[in-house]
Amino acid sequence: MLAEALRIEQAHVTRLYDRLDAVREETAAALRAEHARGEMGGTHQARFEREVAADEHARRLARLFGVERDLCFGRIDEADGETLYIGRIGLRDDDREIILTDWRAPAARPFYTATPASPGSLVRRRHLHLRERTVVGLDDEVFDLERLSESDRRTLVGEAALLVALRRGRTGRMNDVVATIQTEQDRVIRSGLAGALVVQGGPGTGKTVAALHRAAFLLYTHRAVLERRGVLVVGPNPLFSRYIGQVLPSLGETDVVLSSLGELYPGVRATATDTPATAVVKGDPRMAGVVAAALRDRQRVPDGDLEVAIVVRTSVRDGVEVVVERMTLTVDHDTCVRARDRARTSRHPHNVARRLFMMDILKALAVDEAVRLDASLEEEDLRHARKALWSQPAVRDAVDALWPLLTPERLIADLLASPAALHSAAPDLTEDERAALLRPPGAPWTVGDVPLLDEAAELLGEDEDAGTPAEAARAAEEEREAEERYARGVLEFTGLLEDRMMVAGALAERHRDTGPAVTTAERARRDRRWAYGHVIVDEAQELSAMAWRAVMRRIPARSLTVVGDIAQTGSAAGARSWGEMLDPYVKGRWRQEHLAVNYRTPMEIMRVAADVLRAVAPGQEPPESVREGGSAPRAVPLDPDAPDGPAALKAVVEGELAEIGEGRLAVIVPDARYDRIAALFPRDGDVLDAPVAVLTVTASKGLEFDAVVVVEPDEILTRTPMGGHDLYVAITRATRRLTVTHRKDLPPMLSRLERHRP
Ligand SMILES: Nc1ncnc2c1ncn2[C@@H]1O[C@H](COP(=O)(O)OP(=O)(O)OP(=O)(O)O)[C@@H](O)[C@H]1O
């Protein structure tokens, strides 16, 4: 029976791979032809069209090569005799008959939602197991309601295939779960594009993996819009981005931008973190006002009149030009104030408004010069005079001193390095809060600085010198119209057209298109003002209010997926509730899905985690584990500071490595011990590929390992106000084994651990 079934499935799978090879070859040939045509020259328009076509073929080819592994993983049989094969992409044969159904297509949905209690029209679901292109096994679930017992009324979908997937050793990279998506996850994945969806769930409930499958689903379902506008996935740090980096390509999607919070502002890659006290102040929404005030402080007027000594006459002596005569021009104080106020109220950003300020000052200087020299006050003459004045360094210096051209980096670095600047810009912060912000000049950027830089960039704007004013105005008008057309399209598809608060023009302002030379993802990553079609924020509980401002700027259509667990909030500036962070942007318009099953952490370890959660966040419910897993989690007394401490820790780690065989292990340590303990386990290359990864709790967020050794839980608990949440995170990283080493008494919340002598 089984052999016969395997033979039948192999025949179909072989046919699918043959077809995949053929489509790849067709696409590669089309790409080659496009490139060959590209060398033939032609009009600009023809070249542009060829580039677009070649780009499309290249994209498709990348997608076709991404789906080699487990091309087809399932089959469903309907009561009416119809059979569908489910795979990573859809394929048709030469007669256009569907031979493989894309997992994201509506027809594939019963594969993920049918349960014995509610099978819909299905009579059987089959999971296929492939090794390369060979079918090596299958699991069947036969839905026969007549014979359904109470115990069959379980809710796990494809349990056998799921458990095989969960028992696999970890590889250091997240894999897709397309073959074993569970019903509650399916709901998240296929939820509509419009509005904000919050996915709240405990550790290991598949929030990350479901969110990534959701990105693939949305790209499939709304390809026209999302491929143009792009999808952004924001994670907590670059390590996490690398950890999840393979999932979307393996689902055939390559056009997604993965970024960490510290990389959101182009040109800065912040990895340093602030102390909890500093993070709280930097993440406070009042900082938006502080940055704005710091900028206003840079828009100055002189105490009295402005005086500028300009050069009136030069002569050349021995080949060198020397100044023979200077004259001091004056702009009275009131004129300076009016110039500043006019520029401020122009509603242009600072660097653009500078032109207005400069023009007013130049006008006043030119008039003063004409009066002093008894020269013409005709407009044409004054225009020449202004131009000549602007070429004088003394005039430029004077304008720069009052209204400087600023970069965000300059503004924020100057602010944070100066007690006086902080005092002036942040009078409402307490003395302690201002002290927490202060840092030495030249200090590296922290993740908490990035939203401040983004805020500053927003207020500063860019003065793009675009030809003559008339040309610039015309070009800007054309661009604005094109952008508004696009923005209306976005609003229609996201169903927000009725929403009075969303003005198409405001959305259009964010849109910038720079031609087909690079992929959407590349263009989007480089452009701070890029408006994405959809944004997924993972470990979203860690974002401060200021970080949310930066994220929301990138998603004016407010189509976003927010993934996280309030019980795992580690950042002192992070979320205590979703409403607190989201209401300012999407009040009454965000919906929440709960994921309640933990696929990662076995029950024995989860019981320990539940004790910790009960102690630190009594209102929060831990998720329920699907697996029971062998060995009991244990506590080993060990003093890492004793002379034999390092050797003892190494012995514990060696013992664990021997237990897990091929798998991977993490040593999770208090921040203050990181350097010393990391030095005990030297590695080459990426920490994700190392058999032993030494990590702080913050770095371990979102990751998982076959075995976890947590060092000094007491120090993790007391290090920050969120220490209890950190301990909960550390414990729930393990898929099989957990060991806690402790110098002092074990904290009572860990009393369930089995005591071991080393
Ligand atoms: N339906 C599924 N089939 C197979 N494996 C799954 C499924 N859902 C989740 N997993 C696995 O469970 C583990 C945890 O998933 P994931 O990292 O997405 O959880 P999370 O909710 O984001 O966790 P955390 O909050 O702790 O970061 C991963 O190894 C993932 O592949």
Side-chain angles (χ1 to χ4, degrees):
M1 269 299 279
L2 177 64
E4 175 61 7
L6 285 174
R7 197 187 57 70
I8 292 170
E9 300 305 6
Q10 182 63 59
H12 192 78
V13 165
T14 302
R15 189 170 163 223
L16 294 175
Y17 276 107
D18 286 349
R19 185 68 198 145
L20 178 67
D21 289 340
V23 183
R24 282 174 179 168
E25 187 37 50
E26 279 163 26
T27 312
L31 180 61
R32 280 195 299 274
E34 220 54 72
H35 281 318
R37 280 178 356 120
E39 281 156 19
M40 289 162 18
T43 63
H44 178 71
Q45 177 66 18
R47 275 203 311 278
F48 175 85
E49 281 168 15
R50 282 202 301 273
E51 267 181 60
V52 172
D55 191 43
E56 182 52 39
H57 291 313
R59 218 191 270 270
R60 186 163 151 72
L61 203 56
R63 211 177 286 144
L64 290 168
F65 276 99
V67 297
E68 172 71 27
R69 193 176 55 84
D70 294 336
L71 172 66
C72 171
F73 47 80
R75 158 181 169 165
I76 43 179
D77 296 354
E78 310 259 355
D80 63 6
E82 202 182 337
T83 291
L84 286 187
Y85 282 88
I86 315 293
R88 290 175 185 274
I89 51 167
L91 286 174
R92 291 170 184 268
D93 64 11
D94 288 335
D95 301 327
R96 311 279 308 141
E97 287 294 317
I98 294 174
I99 52 174
L100 186 64
T101 301
D102 192 299
W103 65 277
R104 295 164 288 194
R109 195 153 194 207
F111 183 75
Y112 299 110
T113 55
T115 60
S118 123
S121 60
L122 294 199
V123 291
R124 184 176 65 187
R125 169 173 43 222
R126 172 169 283 179
H127 277 89
L128 302 181
H129 302 292
L130 271 55
R131 189 168 306 132
E132 296 183 345
R133 295 184 171 196
T134 307
V135 183
V136 293
L138 46 86
D139 293 308
D140 276 348
E141 284 162 283
V142 177
F143 301 122
D144 183 349
L145 282 176
E146 302 296 309
R147 291 186 313 174
L148 190 68
S149 72
E150 252 326 288
S151 64
D152 282 337
R153 291 175 188 271
R154 59 189 183 219
T155 49
L156 285 184
V157 170
E159 187 169 1
L162 176 66
L163 291 180
V164 169
L166 297 182
R167 277 195 213 103
R168 269 186 214 128
R170 303 294 119 170
T171 61
R173 296 292 190 285
M174 178 172 261
N175 288 315
D176 70 74
V177 300
V178 69
T180 54
I181 290 167
Q182 298 297 298
T183 307
E184 63 172 11
Q185 298 171 329
D186 184 73
R187 233 185 16 247
V188 166
I189 292 168
R190 290 176 205 252
S191 181
L193 174 62
L197 170 70
V198 173
V199 184
Q200 158 69 41
T205 50
K207 297 183 297 298
T208 299
V209 88
L212 294 172
H213 286 67
R214 174 166 165 71
F217 170 80
L218 293 176
L219 277 160
Y220 172 84
T221 312
H222 306 277
R223 184 152 325 266
V225 175
L226 291 186
E227 217 161 56
R228 212 167 110 65
R229 298 314 312 155
V231 172
L232 169 70
V233 178
V234 183
N237 54 52
L239 184 66
F240 181 80
S241 302
R242 288 207 301 283
Y243 170 65
I244 63 169
Q246 277 177 6
V247 176
L248 281 160
S250 77
L251 297 173
E253 298 300 344
T254 47
D255 244 353
V256 173
V257 178
L258 298 184
S259 175
S260 67
L261 280 175
E263 297 165 316
L264 265 191
Y265 174 82
V268 167
R269 286 177 147 252
T271 48
T273 49
D274 292 301
T275 62
T278 303
V280 168
V281 188
K282 280 189 185 166
D284 191 301
R286 286 178 299 166
M287 283 306 290
V290 174
V291 174
L295 182 56
R296 286 173 73 86
D297 285 346
R298 304 295 289 261
Q299 300 164 349
R300 301 194 185 111
V301 290
D303 289 339
D305 297 341
L306 173 66
E307 296 192 335
V308 186
I310 62 159
V311 175
V312 183
R313 218 151 44 86
T314 60
S315 78
V316 176
R317 287 187 200 146
D318 301 331
V320 180
E321 189 176 27
V322 290
V323 174
V324 180
E325 188 184 343
R326 288 182 195 274
M327 173 171 68
T328 298
L329 300 181
T330 312
V331 181
D332 67 78
H333 180 75
D334 287 352
T335 304
C336 292
V337 171
R338 269 199 307 280
R340 184 193 62 185
D341 292 350
R342 199 168 85 92
R344 274 183 179 170
T345 51
S346 71
R347 309 218 348 248
H348 288 300
H350 171 96
N351 285 336
V352 179
R354 178 182 138 98
R355 282 172 172 255
L356 293 175
F357 179 78
M358 171 193 90
M359 195 50 92
D360 283 356
I361 297 294
L362 280 179
K363 274 183 188 162
L365 286 173
V367 169
D368 190 44
E369 182 185 35
V371 171
R372 283 174 199 268
L373 298 177
D374 212 7
S376 154
L377 284 165
E378 292 288 320
E379 177 50 32
E380 188 57 20
D381 295 318
L382 287 177
R383 202 163 61 78
H384 281 297
R386 290 201 294 269
K387 222 167 159 188
L389 281 170
W390 187 239
S391 68
Q392 294 227 8
V395 175
R396 288 181 176 235
D397 289 348
V399 171
D400 278 345
L402 300 177
W403 193 292
L405 205 56
L406 283 170
T407 62
E409 287 87 338
R410 168 99 268 148
L411 179 67
I412 300 299
D414 288 354
L415 171 69
L416 299 182
S418 156
L422 278 170
H423 196 270
S424 164
D428 296 340
L429 298 189
T430 65
E431 200 66 46
D432 286 348
E433 286 172 329
R434 285 195 295 268
L437 288 175
L438 195 64
R439 61 176 202 175
W445 294 115
T446 66
V447 177
D449 291 331
V450 167
L452 306 184
L453 289 167
D454 205 61
E455 194 76 30
E458 199 67 10
L459 299 175
L460 288 169
E462 280 165 36
D463 183 17
E464 290 142 357
D465 200 1
T468 67
E471 278 166 14
R474 213 169 29 249
E477 184 55 23
E478 274 170 18
E479 197 180 336
R480 194 188 55 73
E481 278 173 17
E483 288 172 0
E484 263 192 43
R485 271 197 304 280
Y486 159 73
R488 247 177 265 124
V490 175
L491 290 177
E492 268 155 18
F493 96 78
T494 52
L496 290 171
L497 204 55
E498 268 75 58
D499 190 334
R500 299 278 155 239
M501 291 168 65
M502 285 290 309
V503 185
L507 209 165
E509 274 206 353
R510 309 218 133 267
H511 165 65
R512 288 275 184 284
D513 241 347
T514 51
V518 288
T519 64
T520 301
E522 284 170 63
R523 271 184 291 150
R525 186 189 292 282
R526 295 202 295 236
D527 185 354
R528 195 191 66 80
R529 293 167 49 96
W530 187 268
Y532 286 92
H534 189 80
V535 174
I536 292 176
V537 187
D538 204 339
E539 302 289 344
Q541 72 278 357
E542 302 302 327
L543 267 65
S544 68
M546 285 302 287
W548 277 113
R549 284 173 70 94
V551 167
M552 291 293 184
R553 250 176 231 132
R554 284 151 178 81
I555 184 73
R558 301 286 188 258
S559 169
L560 69 161
T561 307
V562 175
V563 178
D565 181 10
I566 293 290
Q568 294 184 61
T569 304
S571 165
R576 305 291 186 274
S577 78
W578 293 118
E580 170 199 354
M581 291 302 179
L582 296 177
D583 281 348
Y585 305 95
V586 284
K587 192 170 177 68
R589 288 190 289 135
W590 56 273
R591 56 194 193 279
Q592 185 164 186
E593 292 278 0
H594 273 276
L595 295 181
V597 177
N598 180 345
Y599 302 97
R600 174 195 300 137
T601 324
M603 265 171 222
E604 296 78 356
I605 298 178
M606 207 52 213
R607 280 194 206 106
V608 179
D611 290 343
V612 173
L613 190 64
R614 214 167 293 124
V616 300
Q620 306 274 354
E621 273 297 304
E624 204 182 303
S625 299
V626 282
R627 284 189 304 146
E628 284 181 78
S631 66
R634 59 188 188 135
V636 178
L638 187 159
D639 180 356
D641 300 326
D644 63 347
L649 182 59
K650 278 170 112 166
V652 167
V653 168
E654 294 297 333
E656 286 297 294
L657 280 177
E659 288 289 340
I660 59 172
E662 285 287 280
R664 297 175 18 83
L665 178 146
V667 185
I668 302 184
V669 302
D671 290 9
R673 294 187 178 273
Y674 175 79
D675 288 340
R676 266 172 296 156
I677 296 181
L680 299 178
F681 302 96
R683 61 176 160 83
D684 303 324
D686 197 325
V687 64
L688 290 174
D689 300 321
V692 177
V694 180
L695 299 167
T696 61
V697 180
T698 309
S700 77
K701 284 238 153 94
L703 309 186
E704 64 186 24
F705 301 85
D706 296 82
V708 168
V709 177
V710 179
V711 175
E712 288 301 309
D714 208 42
E715 289 173 21
I716 292 176
L717 264 176
T718 52
R719 183 186 68 95
T720 75
M722 308 303 287
H725 294 237
D726 280 351
L727 186 57
Y728 180 60
V729 170
I731 287 175
T732 51
R733 298 306 97 196
T735 65
R736 286 158 62 193
R737 297 177 61 84
L738 172 70
T739 307
V740 174
T741 73
H742 59 106
R743 186 168 46 125
K744 296 198 217 131
D745 287 345
L746 261 188
M749 64 182 86
L750 295 180
S751 58
R752 198 186 284 271
L753 292 170
E754 227 177 71
R755 311 298 174 109
H756 275 242
R757 299 304 317 164

